[in-house]
Amino acid sequence: EDQVTQSPEALRLQEGESSSLNCSYTVSGLRGLFWYRQDPGKGPEFLFTLYSAGEEKEKERLKATLTKKESFLHITAPKPEDSATYLCAVQRDSGYALNFGKGTSLLVTP
Amino acid sequence: DTGVSQDPRHKITKRGQNVTFRCDPISEHNRLYWYRQTLGQGPEFLTYFQNEAQLEKSRLLSDRFSAERPKGSFSTLEIQRTEQGDSAMYLCASSLGVGGSYEQYFGPGTRLTVT
């Protein structure tokens, strides 16, 4: 059965303090790994899709990377507005459902 | 550019009542998904439509739950005889479905509280 594990569960950073969030996964036949950002009381907001090991994608202060077993979301010089829950999900190549982890709750303080 | 919309945004109902939620996907998207999210958890897949055909259903979708997408545009999710365990955020998402584009765009959700 597919498994997606995110760590840490919660992370508190000072503004400007770079760090990484981890997403470990096991899936039979990966089509893609997805990162989303979710603010309280709102739906997830799409950030990145990664399709193959070695792929990297960047957007502003965020950079996502993928290996055969895990993905990292690197946050460089975060700002308070980056505070949110970051969700990782995998999609099998045999279907379209996303299987999500529980998320990492990030708090960036000024 | 309108995103995915959901109605209502909040619903409070008494145990045993039926509720129906509506989702309007992004206009050119032919795939539509329903997920459920409880506090501290990631969204859990419920069901998926390609156009009007319901192609995949999760084990989570008990026989009290039914979803439709009659004309391949908007979708409805009905929960019959609600239980307190049905309290959750119900999320709808849509995706383009062509050209190798698999990312799903989520709506704001409908928060259901069963008292």
Side-chain angles (χ1 to χ4, degrees):
Chain A
E1 189 174 315
D2 301 348
Q3 208 160 17
V4 180
T5 304
Q6 293 190 245
S7 61
E9 288 185 12
L11 180 62
R12 183 180 180 123
L13 299 174
Q14 285 210 311
E15 185 171 3
E17 181 186 0
S18 302
S19 188
S20 294
L21 313 183
N22 177 263
C23 172
S24 298
Y25 65 92
T26 55
V27 61
S28 57
L30 178 73
R31 171 182 285 132
L33 184 140
F34 301 76
W35 282 98
Y36 286 84
R37 168 194 171 126
Q38 188 172 29
D39 292 301
K42 296 189 176 181
E45 175 190 345
F46 171 74
L47 295 174
F48 303 109
T49 310
L50 301 165
Y51 291 106
S52 56
E55 190 175 0
E56 298 183 352
K57 289 197 176 168
E58 285 188 70
K59 179 181 178 179
E60 297 180 354
R61 295 177 293 283
L62 300 176
K63 179 180 174 181
T65 61
L66 181 66
T67 73
K68 288 187 177 179
K69 293 183 179 180
E70 57 193 351
S71 177
F72 292 94
L73 186 65
H74 308 277
I75 304 177
T76 302
K79 299 182 177 182
E81 52 262 42
D82 294 322
S83 298
T85 295
Y86 290 85
L87 295 163
C88 165
V90 297
Q91 186 181 61
R92 285 185 174 192
D93 58 11
S94 58
Y96 297 98
L98 293 179
N99 184 5
F100 283 86
K102 292 184 179 182
T104 293
S105 177
L106 174 66
L107 177 63
V108 182
T109 57
Chain B
D1 179 25
T2 56
V4 178
S5 61
Q6 293 187 245
D7 184 69
R9 295 291 309 278
H10 302 274
K11 178 71 177 179
I12 300 174
T13 191
K14 292 187 176 180
R15 189 178 54 182
Q17 298 294 304
N18 299 345
V19 294
T20 300
F21 310 140
R22 175 179 170 126
C23 170
D24 287 90
I26 294 170
S27 58
E28 65 269 25
H29 286 187
N30 64 13
R31 292 192 180 130
L32 187 147
Y33 313 80
W34 285 98
Y35 291 82
R36 179 173 68 187
Q37 186 176 26
T38 54
L39 202 60
Q41 303 294 315
E44 296 174 297
F45 171 77
L46 294 177
T47 190
Y48 145 67
F49 290 85
Q50 179 154 330
N51 300 313
E52 66 274 9
Q54 188 174 18
L55 296 185
E56 193 174 347
K57 290 199 287 188
S58 162
R59 299 189 298 272
L60 293 175
L61 209 67
S62 79
D63 55 7
R64 296 185 299 106
F65 287 68
S66 63
E68 294 183 341
R69 194 182 183 198
K71 296 181 180 179
S73 56
F74 73 91
S75 175
T76 58
L77 178 68
E78 181 184 16
I79 309 174
Q80 296 183 326
R81 306 181 303 281
T82 52
E83 301 173 356
Q84 287 191 317
D86 296 331
S87 295
M89 175 80 89
Y90 289 83
L91 294 162
C92 176
S94 69
S95 67
L96 190 55
V98 295
S101 173
Y102 297 102
E103 52 266 20
Q104 298 177 17
Y105 295 90
F106 284 81
T110 294
R111 180 163 297 284
L112 173 66
T113 303
V114 181
T115 61

Short mmCIF file of all heavy atoms in Angstrom, two decimals, chain B residues 19-57:
data_model
loop_
_atom_site.label_atom_id
_atom_site.label_comp_id
_atom_site.label_asym_id
_atom_site.label_seq_id
_atom_site.Cartn_x
_atom_site.Cartn_y
_atom_site.Cartn_z
N VAL B 19 -27.38 15.93 3.38
CA VAL B 19 -26.77 17.18 2.92
C VAL B 19 -26.24 16.98 1.51
O VAL B 19 -25.88 15.88 1.12
CB VAL B 19 -25.62 17.65 3.83
CG1 VAL B 19 -26.14 18.03 5.22
CG2 VAL B 19 -24.53 16.61 3.94
N THR B 20 -26.21 18.08 0.76
CA THR B 20 -25.66 18.05 -0.62
C THR B 20 -24.75 19.23 -0.81
O THR B 20 -25.09 20.36 -0.45
CB THR B 20 -26.80 18.10 -1.66
OG1 THR B 20 -27.65 16.97 -1.48
CG2 THR B 20 -26.23 18.06 -3.07
N PHE B 21 -23.59 18.95 -1.40
CA PHE B 21 -22.61 19.99 -1.69
C PHE B 21 -22.43 20.08 -3.21
O PHE B 21 -22.53 19.08 -3.91
CB PHE B 21 -21.24 19.65 -1.07
CG PHE B 21 -21.29 19.29 0.37
CD1 PHE B 21 -20.50 18.26 0.87
CD2 PHE B 21 -22.12 19.96 1.26
CE1 PHE B 21 -20.53 17.91 2.21
CE2 PHE B 21 -22.15 19.62 2.60
CZ PHE B 21 -21.36 18.59 3.07
N ARG B 22 -22.09 21.28 -3.67
CA ARG B 22 -21.88 21.49 -5.10
C ARG B 22 -20.45 21.95 -5.36
O ARG B 22 -19.86 22.68 -4.56
CB ARG B 22 -22.85 22.54 -5.62
CG ARG B 22 -22.62 22.90 -7.09
CD ARG B 22 -23.59 23.90 -7.60
NE ARG B 22 -23.21 24.38 -8.92
CZ ARG B 22 -24.02 24.35 -9.98
NH1 ARG B 22 -25.27 23.89 -9.87
NH2 ARG B 22 -23.60 24.81 -11.15
N CYS B 23 -19.92 21.50 -6.50
CA CYS B 23 -18.58 21.92 -6.93
C CYS B 23 -18.65 22.35 -8.39
O CYS B 23 -19.16 21.61 -9.24
CB CYS B 23 -17.59 20.78 -6.78
SG CYS B 23 -15.97 21.12 -7.54
N ASP B 24 -18.12 23.52 -8.69
CA ASP B 24 -17.95 23.97 -10.08
C ASP B 24 -16.47 24.01 -10.40
O ASP B 24 -15.73 24.81 -9.82
CB ASP B 24 -18.57 25.35 -10.26
CG ASP B 24 -20.09 25.30 -10.27
OD1 ASP B 24 -20.69 25.41 -9.19
OD2 ASP B 24 -20.65 25.12 -11.36
N PRO B 25 -16.01 23.15 -11.32
CA PRO B 25 -14.56 23.08 -11.62
C PRO B 25 -14.15 24.24 -12.52
O PRO B 25 -14.99 25.00 -13.00
CB PRO B 25 -14.45 21.76 -12.37
CG PRO B 25 -15.77 21.61 -13.07
CD PRO B 25 -16.78 22.21 -12.12
N ILE B 26 -12.84 24.34 -12.75
CA ILE B 26 -12.31 25.26 -13.74
C ILE B 26 -12.88 24.85 -15.10
O ILE B 26 -12.93 23.66 -15.42
CB ILE B 26 -10.77 25.24 -13.73
CG1 ILE B 26 -10.28 25.80 -12.39
CG2 ILE B 26 -10.20 26.05 -14.89
CD1 ILE B 26 -8.79 25.62 -12.14
N SER B 27 -13.31 25.81 -15.89
CA SER B 27 -14.21 25.53 -17.02
C SER B 27 -13.67 24.52 -18.03
O SER B 27 -14.41 23.69 -18.52
CB SER B 27 -14.59 26.83 -17.73
OG SER B 27 -13.44 27.49 -18.18
N GLU B 28 -12.41 24.55 -18.37
CA GLU B 28 -11.92 23.63 -19.40
C GLU B 28 -11.42 22.30 -18.84
O GLU B 28 -10.96 21.44 -19.58
CB GLU B 28 -10.80 24.30 -20.22
CG GLU B 28 -9.54 24.62 -19.43
CD GLU B 28 -9.55 26.00 -18.82
OE1 GLU B 28 -10.66 26.54 -18.57
OE2 GLU B 28 -8.46 26.53 -18.56
N HIS B 29 -11.53 22.10 -17.53
CA HIS B 29 -11.03 20.88 -16.90
C HIS B 29 -12.05 19.75 -17.04
O HIS B 29 -13.23 19.92 -16.71
CB HIS B 29 -10.74 21.12 -15.42
CG HIS B 29 -9.49 21.91 -15.19
ND1 HIS B 29 -8.97 22.12 -13.93
CD2 HIS B 29 -8.64 22.52 -16.04
CE1 HIS B 29 -7.87 22.83 -14.03
NE2 HIS B 29 -7.65 23.09 -15.30
N ASN B 30 -11.60 18.58 -17.50
CA ASN B 30 -12.56 17.49 -17.65
C ASN B 30 -12.47 16.45 -16.53
O ASN B 30 -13.29 15.55 -16.47
CB ASN B 30 -12.42 16.81 -19.03
CG ASN B 30 -11.08 16.15 -19.23
OD1 ASN B 30 -10.31 15.95 -18.29
ND2 ASN B 30 -10.78 15.79 -20.46
N ARG B 31 -11.50 16.59 -15.63
CA ARG B 31 -11.42 15.68 -14.50
C ARG B 31 -11.80 16.41 -13.22
O ARG B 31 -11.38 17.55 -13.00
CB ARG B 31 -10.01 15.09 -14.36
CG ARG B 31 -9.66 14.16 -15.51
CD ARG B 31 -8.42 13.36 -15.25
NE ARG B 31 -8.16 12.49 -16.41
CZ ARG B 31 -7.00 12.41 -17.03
NH1 ARG B 31 -5.98 13.13 -16.62
NH2 ARG B 31 -6.86 11.61 -18.06
N LEU B 32 -12.58 15.75 -12.38
CA LEU B 32 -13.07 16.34 -11.14
C LEU B 32 -12.95 15.32 -10.02
O LEU B 32 -13.24 14.14 -10.20
CB LEU B 32 -14.53 16.80 -11.30
CG LEU B 32 -15.15 17.59 -10.15
CD1 LEU B 32 -16.16 18.61 -10.67
CD2 LEU B 32 -15.77 16.68 -9.12
N TYR B 33 -12.49 15.79 -8.85
CA TYR B 33 -12.18 14.92 -7.73
C TYR B 33 -12.86 15.45 -6.47
O TYR B 33 -12.98 16.66 -6.28
CB TYR B 33 -10.67 14.89 -7.47
CG TYR B 33 -9.82 14.70 -8.69
CD1 TYR B 33 -9.53 15.76 -9.54
CD2 TYR B 33 -9.27 13.46 -8.99
CE1 TYR B 33 -8.74 15.59 -10.67
CE2 TYR B 33 -8.46 13.29 -10.11
CZ TYR B 33 -8.21 14.36 -10.94
OH TYR B 33 -7.42 14.18 -12.05
N TRP B 34 -13.22 14.52 -5.58
CA TRP B 34 -13.69 14.88 -4.23
C TRP B 34 -12.74 14.26 -3.21
O TRP B 34 -12.35 13.09 -3.34
CB TRP B 34 -15.10 14.36 -3.98
CG TRP B 34 -16.18 15.12 -4.68
CD1 TRP B 34 -16.80 14.81 -5.85
CD2 TRP B 34 -16.80 16.34 -4.24
NE1 TRP B 34 -17.76 15.74 -6.16
CE2 TRP B 34 -17.78 16.70 -5.19
CE3 TRP B 34 -16.62 17.16 -3.11
CZ2 TRP B 34 -18.58 17.84 -5.06
CZ3 TRP B 34 -17.41 18.29 -2.99
CH2 TRP B 34 -18.38 18.62 -3.95
N TYR B 35 -12.40 15.06 -2.21
CA TYR B 35 -11.56 14.63 -1.10
C TYR B 35 -12.23 15.04 0.21
O TYR B 35 -13.04 15.97 0.24
CB TYR B 35 -10.18 15.29 -1.14
CG TYR B 35 -9.29 14.86 -2.28
CD1 TYR B 35 -9.43 15.42 -3.56
CD2 TYR B 35 -8.30 13.90 -2.11
CE1 TYR B 35 -8.61 15.02 -4.61
CE2 TYR B 35 -7.48 13.51 -3.16
CZ TYR B 35 -7.64 14.07 -4.40
OH TYR B 35 -6.83 13.68 -5.44
N ARG B 36 -11.82 14.40 1.30
CA ARG B 36 -12.28 14.77 2.64
C ARG B 36 -11.05 15.00 3.51
O ARG B 36 -10.08 14.23 3.42
CB ARG B 36 -13.14 13.66 3.24
CG ARG B 36 -13.65 13.95 4.63
CD ARG B 36 -14.63 12.89 5.07
NE ARG B 36 -13.99 11.60 5.28
CZ ARG B 36 -14.67 10.49 5.53
NH1 ARG B 36 -15.99 10.51 5.59
NH2 ARG B 36 -14.04 9.36 5.74
N GLN B 37 -11.11 16.06 4.33
CA GLN B 37 -9.97 16.37 5.19
C GLN B 37 -10.45 16.63 6.61
O GLN B 37 -11.34 17.46 6.83
CB GLN B 37 -9.20 17.60 4.67
CG GLN B 37 -7.92 17.89 5.43
CD GLN B 37 -7.14 19.04 4.84
OE1 GLN B 37 -7.69 19.92 4.18
NE2 GLN B 37 -5.83 19.04 5.04
N THR B 38 -9.85 15.93 7.56
CA THR B 38 -10.12 16.18 8.97
C THR B 38 -8.92 16.88 9.60
O THR B 38 -7.82 16.89 9.02
CB THR B 38 -10.45 14.89 9.72
OG1 THR B 38 -9.39 13.95 9.49
CG2 THR B 38 -11.76 14.28 9.23
N LEU B 39 -9.13 17.44 10.79
CA LEU B 39 -8.11 18.28 11.43
C LEU B 39 -6.80 17.52 11.63
O LEU B 39 -6.79 16.41 12.15
CB LEU B 39 -8.65 18.76 12.77
CG LEU B 39 -7.99 20.02 13.33
CD1 LEU B 39 -8.17 21.20 12.39
CD2 LEU B 39 -8.57 20.34 14.71
N GLY B 40 -5.72 18.11 11.17
CA GLY B 40 -4.41 17.53 11.37
C GLY B 40 -4.04 16.43 10.39
O GLY B 40 -2.99 15.81 10.52
N GLN B 41 -4.91 16.20 9.41
CA GLN B 41 -4.65 15.17 8.41
C GLN B 41 -4.56 15.79 7.02
O GLN B 41 -5.08 16.88 6.78
CB GLN B 41 -5.78 14.13 8.40
CG GLN B 41 -6.02 13.46 9.75
CD GLN B 41 -4.85 12.61 10.20
OE1 GLN B 41 -4.29 11.84 9.41
NE2 GLN B 41 -4.47 12.73 11.47
N GLY B 42 -3.94 15.07 6.11
CA GLY B 42 -3.98 15.49 4.72
C GLY B 42 -5.31 15.09 4.09
O GLY B 42 -6.05 14.26 4.64
N PRO B 43 -5.65 15.67 2.96
CA PRO B 43 -6.89 15.27 2.28
C PRO B 43 -6.87 13.79 1.92
O PRO B 43 -5.83 13.23 1.57
CB PRO B 43 -6.88 16.13 1.01
CG PRO B 43 -6.02 17.31 1.34
CD PRO B 43 -4.96 16.76 2.25
N GLU B 44 -8.07 13.15 2.01
CA GLU B 44 -8.22 11.74 1.64
C GLU B 44 -9.13 11.64 0.42
O GLU B 44 -10.23 12.21 0.43
CB GLU B 44 -8.85 10.95 2.80
CG GLU B 44 -8.01 10.88 4.04
CD GLU B 44 -8.76 10.21 5.17
OE1 GLU B 44 -9.80 10.76 5.60
OE2 GLU B 44 -8.33 9.15 5.63
N PHE B 45 -8.70 10.90 -0.57
CA PHE B 45 -9.44 10.76 -1.81
C PHE B 45 -10.76 10.04 -1.59
O PHE B 45 -10.83 9.03 -0.90
CB PHE B 45 -8.58 9.98 -2.81
CG PHE B 45 -9.30 9.58 -4.07
CD1 PHE B 45 -9.55 10.52 -5.07
CD2 PHE B 45 -9.71 8.28 -4.27
CE1 PHE B 45 -10.20 10.15 -6.23
CE2 PHE B 45 -10.36 7.90 -5.42
CZ PHE B 45 -10.60 8.84 -6.41
N LEU B 46 -11.82 10.57 -2.22
CA LEU B 46 -13.13 9.92 -2.16
C LEU B 46 -13.53 9.34 -3.52
O LEU B 46 -13.85 8.17 -3.62
CB LEU B 46 -14.21 10.92 -1.71
CG LEU B 46 -14.11 11.44 -0.27
CD1 LEU B 46 -15.21 12.46 0.01
CD2 LEU B 46 -14.15 10.30 0.72
N THR B 47 -13.53 10.20 -4.57
CA THR B 47 -13.98 9.74 -5.86
C THR B 47 -13.48 10.66 -6.96
O THR B 47 -13.04 11.78 -6.69
CB THR B 47 -15.52 9.61 -5.90
OG1 THR B 47 -15.91 8.93 -7.10
CG2 THR B 47 -16.18 10.98 -5.86
N TYR B 48 -13.58 10.19 -8.21
CA TYR B 48 -13.04 10.92 -9.36
C TYR B 48 -13.94 10.72 -10.58
O TYR B 48 -14.45 9.62 -10.81
CB TYR B 48 -11.61 10.43 -9.59
CG TYR B 48 -11.14 10.35 -11.02
CD1 TYR B 48 -10.95 11.51 -11.77
CD2 TYR B 48 -10.84 9.12 -11.60
CE1 TYR B 48 -10.51 11.43 -13.07
CE2 TYR B 48 -10.39 9.05 -12.90
CZ TYR B 48 -10.22 10.20 -13.64
OH TYR B 48 -9.78 10.13 -14.92
N PHE B 49 -14.14 11.79 -11.33
CA PHE B 49 -14.91 11.78 -12.57
C PHE B 49 -14.02 12.22 -13.73
O PHE B 49 -13.24 13.16 -13.61
CB PHE B 49 -16.07 12.78 -12.49
CG PHE B 49 -17.16 12.39 -11.55
CD1 PHE B 49 -17.06 12.69 -10.20
CD2 PHE B 49 -18.30 11.72 -12.00
CE1 PHE B 49 -18.07 12.35 -9.32
CE2 PHE B 49 -19.31 11.38 -11.13
CZ PHE B 49 -19.21 11.69 -9.78
N GLN B 50 -14.20 11.55 -14.85
CA GLN B 50 -13.68 12.08 -16.11
C GLN B 50 -14.91 12.38 -16.96
O GLN B 50 -15.68 11.46 -17.29
CB GLN B 50 -12.78 11.09 -16.82
CG GLN B 50 -12.27 11.64 -18.13
CD GLN B 50 -10.95 11.05 -18.57
OE1 GLN B 50 -10.12 10.67 -17.75
NE2 GLN B 50 -10.75 10.96 -19.86
N ASN B 51 -15.09 13.66 -17.26
CA ASN B 51 -16.36 14.13 -17.84
C ASN B 51 -17.50 13.68 -16.93
O ASN B 51 -17.44 13.95 -15.73
CB ASN B 51 -16.49 13.64 -19.27
CG ASN B 51 -15.34 14.16 -20.13
OD1 ASN B 51 -15.02 15.35 -20.09
ND2 ASN B 51 -14.70 13.28 -20.90
N GLU B 52 -18.50 12.99 -17.43
CA GLU B 52 -19.63 12.61 -16.58
C GLU B 52 -19.47 11.22 -15.97
O GLU B 52 -20.29 10.80 -15.15
CB GLU B 52 -20.95 12.69 -17.35
CG GLU B 52 -21.09 11.71 -18.50
CD GLU B 52 -20.48 12.25 -19.77
OE1 GLU B 52 -19.80 13.29 -19.74
OE2 GLU B 52 -20.67 11.59 -20.82
N ALA B 53 -18.41 10.50 -16.34
CA ALA B 53 -18.22 9.13 -15.86
C ALA B 53 -17.45 9.09 -14.54
O ALA B 53 -16.36 9.67 -14.43
CB ALA B 53 -17.47 8.33 -16.92
N GLN B 54 -18.04 8.40 -13.56
CA GLN B 54 -17.36 8.21 -12.28
C GLN B 54 -16.46 7.00 -12.41
O GLN B 54 -16.92 5.86 -12.48
CB GLN B 54 -18.39 8.01 -11.16
CG GLN B 54 -17.80 8.01 -9.77
CD GLN B 54 -18.86 7.95 -8.66
OE1 GLN B 54 -20.01 7.59 -8.92
NE2 GLN B 54 -18.49 8.30 -7.44
N LEU B 55 -15.14 7.21 -12.44
CA LEU B 55 -14.19 6.15 -12.80
C LEU B 55 -13.51 5.50 -11.62
O LEU B 55 -12.93 4.42 -11.76
CB LEU B 55 -13.14 6.70 -13.77
CG LEU B 55 -13.66 7.17 -15.12
CD1 LEU B 55 -12.51 7.59 -16.03
CD2 LEU B 55 -14.51 6.10 -15.79
N GLU B 56 -13.49 6.17 -10.47
CA GLU B 56 -12.78 5.60 -9.33
C GLU B 56 -13.48 6.02 -8.04
O GLU B 56 -13.89 7.17 -7.91
CB GLU B 56 -11.32 6.08 -9.33
CG GLU B 56 -10.39 5.33 -8.40
CD GLU B 56 -8.94 5.76 -8.56
OE1 GLU B 56 -8.60 6.45 -9.54
OE2 GLU B 56 -8.14 5.41 -7.68
N LYS B 57 -13.63 5.07 -7.13
CA LYS B 57 -14.22 5.38 -5.81
C LYS B 57 -13.35 4.75 -4.73
O LYS B 57 -12.91 3.61 -4.85
CB LYS B 57 -15.64 4.80 -5.71
CG LYS B 57 -16.64 5.51 -6.58
CD LYS B 57 -18.06 5.25 -6.14
CE LYS B 57 -18.54 3.87 -6.45
NZ LYS B 57 -19.99 3.72 -6.18
#
